[in-house]
Every structure is written in structure tokens, then in C-alpha cells.
Amino acid sequence: MKYKVILFKIFVHLAAFLPLANAYYLAFTDQLGADPVEAIIHFTGIGAFNLLLLSLMITPLSKRFKISILLKVRRLVGLYSFTYAFLHLTNFLVFEVQFDWSLFLSEILERPYITIGMAGLLILLTLAITSISLLRKKMAKNWQKLHNWVYLAAVLIGIHFYWSVKSEIIEPSIYLFITFILLAFRFKKLNKWIKKD
Amino acid sequence: MLIQSPEKSVLKEHQVTDESVYLKRRQLIKQMGFFGAGTLLSSTIANTTNAQGLDFFSSAPEKTFQRYPLTFTADGTNNTEVLTPEAKVTSHNNFYEFGIGKSDPVNNAQNFNIKPWQLTISGECDKPYTLDLDDLTKSFALEERIYRLRCVEAWSMVIPWVGFELSKLLKKAQPNSRAKYIAFETLHDPAQMPGQASRRMGGGIDYPYVEGLRIDEAMNPLTLMSVGLYGKTLPAQNGAPIRLVVPWKYGFKSIKSIVAIKFVEHPPASTWNILAPNEYGFYANVNPEVDHPRWSQASERRLTSGGLFARNRIDTLPFNGYGEQVAGLYKNLDLRKNF
């Protein structure tokens, strides 16, 4: 079992990391389409959302089909989602606005769709930091409470995507739809959580 | 025993490899993206028409849209700016009729059939007429114009167009006194244009794509009807066989694959304005002072060459740097309101 878990983790690492390395290699060498900046921003953005939805799919899937090994990579997939999202923002700063800090800050604060995306990223950052086992133990019950914020992050990121496009809303609509399906699996939990507060 | 002429073979091989690698890698990266995470969304995969799973070995030779060399007088605009490479000009297009991704047009438009083509010039004029495909390149003397193209999405290119002034085409029809505006229309042919056949492919736009200019804007010597770029007829993805180029306005004004030009009395509709009137105005003059509601228009990224580290962000100029020639057209107009 342990051996299997390690193999599975290696697979997840490769599946998440290799496409990223490949995309950056192509973008650095100007082979990623005519505008590598736009391409790498879109690649990391949509990659982060894909991975986040994938991580939210793990629990319902492992429950339904009793595949416990899936749970072993849930944190890993979540951390990769954060990594992609962090690179998404870094790409925007380094390659899109090219260290024009005032433009960078004003775009984040004045453009609601970017503000919302930023809020989503800050949630992911908090979750990534507190995903360390030591902190998890220390936080005890509060850990789960904090990590429920991932559902809000998913919704924010869905809105960020929907709002960012010019007119082609079908793809972001599908993403939002999937997000809400995944939230529906947590209906009881979310309901309880909201009523408590 | 190598008897090949090295010079020739080097050049040929370089060109061929370059292009196919270029195309394949783009495809590859798309697929890798899905491999990384997106296999969960089959709809997304369908969205990129060329991505068929992880099929790196599909060797079906793609047909390319035929382009022919043109005869024209050289550019007289004293351009000193670095041109955007032809490969980029022809592979980074917003032409939603062929798909919403930047590389969808180059991938989906290669079988575009422009024979027969008819461009009708009609409306408020004394001598309406029609141009056939051959007439488009033969009726008016062709000249090269190197223009900056500023997309509303805040990227820009420098492109050597080949064409003729729109005013020549308009004057031939002898517009009457009611001709205050010009309305343009793109071909509507869902059988050839997948974006017109499906709302998903076409970004939810109501086709045909329409655009308009005030007649004084249309008559300005900068306003070009382009039939080619980089010395040859237009590629399908750039708006073959004939398109408008209005260099001081955002790119979406420069309507592609035009079939109808009409003199009209009242302001004509324009596609992006219909879609989002708060984001895209009728005038759409390049203006660093007036932001798009969702992003700044104060600067832009100039696409030439170099990868991610190309320091290509430059200030956007009023009227895209053509103020000297066109600012007078708008002297009594509040450009904040009439964006």
C-alpha cells in the first residue's frame, strides 16, 4: 500500500509539474504562440482552477467508489493548485505589467475581477501555509473550519474567470456549474457551518 | 557524398521545421494543459478544435490557404519601428468567426473558400457597384502601408499591409449628400465559418460582424482597405480577401472579410458596441486616458520577438500615434464620452 501511495504521488507530481516546466520552456524561447505572455498567464490560470476542482472532486469520488488512495494526494493536488495560481499572479507582475508596481497595484485594487481573483489567491495561500502537518495538529478543530474556506475560493475563482472574458462566457459558465455541483456534495456540511456562525 | 547545395537546403529545412514545430508545440502545450488537470472537462477539450487527446503523431498534412504575391509601391510612412514577424501576425488573430482562441483562426481558416467573392458598394450614392475577387487587387493601385495595430486587449503589432485608400473606393461610387456614415459587413457563411455556426465557437456574437465609420473618418488618407500583408495577399485568418485597417482605432474596428460597404445617413451598428456598450464605443479611438472598464489602456505590450523576458511594455499614444493626421476629426467631441 505504501509503495502504491508513493508511486501515485510521483505520478501526480509528474502530471502537474511537467506541463508547467514545458510551458515555461516554450514561453521563454518564444515558441508558445505569438504572445507567450498571454499564453502563460492563461495556462497557469486555467491550470490552477482545473487543479482546484480536481482537489475538490477527490473526497466525493473516494467516498462514492471507496478509493482511499485518492485521499493521500488531496493535499498535493491542492498545493499544486496554489502553485499554479501563485505563478499566474507572478506572470502578471513580471511579464504582463513588467514590474510597473503602481500599475500592478492599481489593477488589483481597481479592477473588480482581478480583486476577486486576488482574494481567491490569498485564501489559497492561507490554506497552503496551514497545510503543514505540524500546524494542522496544532490547529486541531479550527483547521477544518479554516479549510472550509476553499469552497469560497473556488466560487471567487469561478467568478474571476467568468468576469475576465470578453464575450465567450460558455466555458467559464461550465466551470462555475461544475464548481456548484462540487459544492452541492457539501451541502449538509456547508449548511451546518453557516447556521453555526 | 553530400551533393546538396548547403545554402538552399539550410534555408528550406529551417523554414519547414520552424513552422511545423511552431504549430505542433502550440498544440502540444494545449494538450499538456489538459493532461495536467483538465481531462475532467471534455467540453474544454472540444473547445480547442485541434487538440485530439495526446495524439502527437497525427501527420495529416494541413492544407494551407493560398496566398499570392502582389505588386505595390513601397511604404512611404518612414517607419522606424520593428515589424512584428509574419509568423506572429498570421497566427495571433481575433477573428471569432473561426473560433475565440488567438490561434483558432490560423487552425480553422485554412480551407476558407473565397471564390467567388463579391464586395458590393451601395446605399446613399449615385453609382453603386460590385467588385469581384480579381477586382479587389486590380481596380486600384496598391501600396504598402506600415501601421501600428493596437488591440483593445492592450497588445499591439507593427504590420506591413498592402492595399489602397478606402476613399478611392468610396469616391468611385459618388456618394450623395445623405451619405454621413459608412456601414461595413463581414461575410455570413456558417458552413465555412464555425464560429457563426455555433455560439460556443463564436463567443456568443450575433453574426454577421458589422462595423461603421463616419464618412470623414472613412475618407481620411490613413484609412486603408487591405488586400495583403508582407507582400502577399491576405491569409484567411487575417481577413481575406479584403479588410479594413483604421490604424488610430482599436483593432476591432478593422473589420475582416468584407462583403458589403454601404453609405448610410445614420450611425450604423457595430458588433462590439452592441455586445457591451459600456466597454466598446462607436468611435473606439486609441486613447490612453480612457481605460477599458476592466483594464488600463495607458500602456500596451508590443508583440515582436523574444519570449517571456521581452521587455515589450510601452506607453500607448493618443490616436495610436496618428494624432497629427486625425485629431482634427474630433476637435469638437468629448472623447471621454465618445470613447
Side-chain angles (χ1 to χ4, degrees):
Chain A
M1 184 63 188
K2 212 172 185 187
Y3 178 64
K4 252 188 176 172
V5 169
I6 290 171
L7 267 185
F8 192 38
K9 279 191 175 170
I10 290 173
F11 168 76
V12 173
H13 273 295
L14 291 178
F17 182 73
L18 288 182
L20 194 64
N22 185 53
Y24 272 102
Y25 168 73
L26 294 177
F28 282 134
T29 52
D30 199 14
Q31 298 176 81
L32 195 64
D35 186 0
V37 176
E38 185 194 77
I40 202 77
I41 288 177
H42 287 180
F43 176 82
T44 46
I46 205 72
F49 201 8
N50 284 339
L51 286 162
L52 185 65
L53 293 181
L54 207 58
S55 78
L56 290 177
M57 230 167 257
I58 286 177
T59 308
L61 276 180
S62 67
K63 271 186 191 161
R64 175 75 179 76
F65 298 103
K66 305 204 165 44
I67 321 172
S68 60
I69 193 170
L70 285 179
L71 288 171
K72 302 273 183 197
V73 297
R74 192 174 60 178
R75 175 169 69 177
L76 193 56
V77 175
L79 283 173
Y80 264 113
S81 172
F82 164 71
T83 307
Y84 270 66
F86 181 73
L87 289 170
H88 179 62
L89 179 75
T90 308
N91 291 333
F92 179 69
L93 170 67
V94 179
F95 306 123
E96 176 70 46
V97 305
Q98 300 173 8
F99 292 110
D100 182 340
W101 287 96
S102 68
L103 180 61
F104 179 69
L105 291 174
S106 69
E107 290 293 89
I108 288 176
L109 297 174
E110 285 170 25
R111 317 288 168 188
Y113 88 95
I114 302 184
T115 317
I116 282 180
M118 192 69 203
L121 178 62
L122 288 178
I123 294 177
L124 293 188
L125 171 70
T126 315
L127 304 192
I129 293 171
T130 54
S131 71
I132 304 167
S133 303
L134 191 76
L135 280 175
R136 181 177 184 164
K137 273 179 199 152
K138 271 192 175 169
M139 290 174 70
K141 265 190 179 173
N142 289 326
W143 188 88
Q144 187 57 51
K145 249 188 193 170
L146 178 68
H147 279 245
N148 282 344
W149 282 76
V150 73
Y151 305 122
L152 178 63
V155 173
L156 290 175
I157 289 167
I159 296 170
H160 168 71
F161 181 28
Y162 186 96
W163 210 340
S164 71
V165 300
K166 272 164 80 190
S167 73
E168 49 283 12
I169 54 167
I170 293 175
E171 193 182 335
S173 305
I174 294 168
Y175 269 81
L176 270 174
F177 180 71
I178 292 173
T179 306
F180 284 114
I181 297 223
L182 290 171
L183 291 193
F185 280 109
R186 281 91 172 176
F187 178 74
K188 271 189 192 164
K189 182 172 157 189
L190 288 173
N191 206 21
K192 224 163 101 188
W193 186 45
I194 291 167
K195 274 184 183 163
K196 253 189 196 169
D197 286 336
Chain B
M1 277 280 282
L2 204 74
I3 340 178
Q4 284 173 309
S5 148
E7 252 182 24
K8 264 190 183 172
S9 84
V10 167
L11 188 67
K12 263 186 196 162
E13 237 169 275
H14 164 75
Q15 284 175 331
V16 173
T17 314
D18 200 58
E19 181 126 38
S20 76
V21 168
Y22 190 67
L23 292 170
K24 252 194 191 152
R25 289 218 162 135
R26 214 152 9 93
Q27 207 168 324
L28 173 70
I29 197 65
K30 269 184 192 167
Q31 294 153 344
M32 290 301 252
F34 297 121
F35 181 59
T39 30
L40 73 134
L41 282 168
S42 56
S43 66
T44 318
I45 290 171
N47 211 353
T48 57
T49 44
N50 256 27
Q52 286 138 358
L54 281 163
D55 178 15
F56 300 141
F57 307 104
S58 62
S59 55
E62 266 188 57
K63 197 185 151 190
T64 43
F65 184 83
Q66 282 300 310
R67 298 174 62 193
Y68 304 95
L70 292 166
T71 314
F72 52 88
T73 52
D75 173 70
T77 58
N78 300 322
N79 171 66
T80 53
E81 288 173 282
V82 180
L83 298 186
T84 302
E86 188 173 2
K88 292 204 173 192
V89 174
T90 58
S91 66
H92 190 75
N93 309 98
N94 278 327
F95 197 177
Y96 284 17
E97 281 81 345
F98 291 104
I100 54 180
K102 292 287 187 300
S103 54
D104 287 346
V106 68
N107 290 330
N108 299 336
Q110 298 311 310
N111 292 316
F112 187 39
N113 182 16
I114 54 170
K115 290 175 198 160
W117 194 271
Q118 287 209 312
L119 169 60
T120 61
I121 295 96
S122 64
E124 302 289 353
C125 61
D126 296 336
K127 299 230 163 102
Y129 64 104
T130 301
L131 294 172
D132 292 333
L133 185 60
D134 280 348
D135 303 331
L136 298 177
T137 49
K138 287 175 184 153
S139 300
F140 308 95
L142 299 180
E143 51 180 314
E144 183 179 51
R145 292 276 181 97
I146 299 176
Y147 282 159
R148 295 176 285 277
L149 175 123
R150 170 61 155 81
C151 179
V152 74
E153 297 165 2
W155 52 266
S156 63
M157 292 182 173
V158 181
I159 304 172
W161 301 106
V162 178
F164 51 87
E165 289 177 13
L166 172 61
S167 65
K168 292 183 182 170
L169 177 143
L170 297 180
K171 282 173 188 160
K172 197 178 161 192
Q174 298 181 9
N176 64 35
S177 61
R178 283 185 302 277
K180 304 258 169 60
Y181 294 89
I182 316 292
F184 302 85
E185 195 175 307
T186 295
L187 175 74
H188 188 248
D189 187 354
Q192 287 214 71
M193 295 174 148
Q196 293 180 339
S198 128
R199 283 188 82 76
R200 181 179 59 76
M201 286 270 306
I205 289 176
D206 287 323
Y207 293 103
Y209 195 95
V210 289
E211 257 307 336
L213 293 173
R214 239 168 44 189
I215 193 152
D216 55 345
E217 298 178 319
M219 290 290 186
N220 187 282
L222 282 180
T223 308
L224 194 75
M225 291 302 287
S226 166
V227 293
L229 56 83
Y230 271 100
K232 288 185 280 183
T233 50
L234 286 173
Q237 63 270 25
N238 292 79
I242 187 162
R243 64 169 293 168
L244 182 67
V245 179
V246 196
W248 72 92
K249 291 176 181 285
Y250 292 120
F252 67 86
K253 292 296 286 185
S254 294
I255 182 171
K256 300 182 178 85
S257 304
I258 303 170
V259 292
I261 295 178
K262 213 170 167 184
F263 296 95
V264 294
E265 194 173 358
H266 302 289
S270 54
T271 291
W272 280 99
N273 181 244
I274 299 170
L275 216 62
N278 61 324
E279 298 192 339
Y280 311 99
F282 171 78
Y283 285 98
N285 292 320
V286 175
N287 190 345
E289 309 267 302
V290 178
D291 283 349
H292 185 283
R294 288 181 283 143
W295 57 83
S296 165
Q297 295 291 29
S299 57
E300 68 202 46
R301 281 188 307 102
R302 173 65 52 81
L303 305 184
T304 52
S305 47
L308 275 187
F309 282 120
R311 299 290 86 181
N312 55 7
R313 184 161 282 280
I314 55 175
D315 285 342
T316 292
L317 301 172
F319 301 107
N320 202 21
Y322 299 98
E324 219 172 286
Q325 293 99 313
V326 300
L329 294 170
Y330 311 102
K331 54 178 185 264
N332 297 318
L333 206 66
D334 180 350
L335 292 170
R336 279 195 176 276
K337 275 185 193 152
N338 299 281
F339 55 85

